[in-house]
């Protein structure tokens, strides 16, 4: 894994319209498996603030095998997001969600016979 230090520009926002943190690396392309460590970052940002500052970052380039591994496993992990939804409707045919409550008219009522105990509990 090769490492290099580069200058970076960090933009952060925590407002009612936007919530983001972007890092622009000067002259470095980042690929699958690469790691970026921003030195001395500002992590606390109050509501309503927008920050923009420059820092130094260390970029660790991944080797060919870790790049291939991340590329293959990322394709599998994306499929977990297909069923994510914040609505009450599920689009999958596998399970019915939410399950409708049975109505009294659609379920035939069976006669329920009471249970009668002839003997009590013996101690």
């Amino acid at each position: 894994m090769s490492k290099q230090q580069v200058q970076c520009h960090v933009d952060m926002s925590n407002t009612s319209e936007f919530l983001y943190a972007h890092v622009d690396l000067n002259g470095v392309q980042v690929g699958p498996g690469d790691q970026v460590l921003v030195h001395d970052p500002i992590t606390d940002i109050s509501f309503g603030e927008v920050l923009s500052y420059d820092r130094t970052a260390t970029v660790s380039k991944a080797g060919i095998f870790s790049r291939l591994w991340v590329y293959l496993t990322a394709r599998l992990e994306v499929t977990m997001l297909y069923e994510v939804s914040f609505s009450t409707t599920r689009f999958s045919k596998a399970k019915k969600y939410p399950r409708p409550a049975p109505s009294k008219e659609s379920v035939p009522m069976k006669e329920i016979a009471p249970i009668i105990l002839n003997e009590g509990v013996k101690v």
Side-chain angles (χ1 to χ4, degrees), residues 112-116:
I112 300 174
I115 297 174
I116 300 173

Side-chain angles (χ1 to χ4, degrees), residues 18-106:
F18 301 107
L19 176 64
Y20 64 82
H22 296 286
V23 176
D24 291 325
L25 301 171
N26 295 338
V28 177
Q29 292 285 37
V30 180
D34 295 345
Q35 297 177 358
V36 176
L37 174 66
V38 177
H39 299 283
D40 194 26
I42 298 174
T43 56
D44 289 334
I45 181 169
S46 301
F47 183 75
E49 261 188 295
V50 177
L51 293 178
S52 182
Y53 56 91
D54 293 321
R55 291 289 190 262
T56 303
T58 300
V59 179
S60 301
K61 293 289 194 175
I64 186 70
F65 292 114
S66 33
R67 188 175 304 275
L68 181 65
W69 178 254
V70 169
Y71 182 78
L72 291 173
T73 58
R75 299 289 184 220
L76 297 174
E77 289 179 6
V78 166
T79 59
M80 291 191 305
L81 297 176
Y82 292 158
E83 290 286 333
V84 174
S85 175
F86 294 104
S87 68
T88 58
T89 306
R90 187 176 181 126
F91 298 105
S92 173
K93 303 292 184 208
K95 295 180 181 177
K96 302 292 184 191
Y97 181 81
R99 294 185 178 134
S103 64
K104 294 180 181 179
E105 298 166 358
S106 64

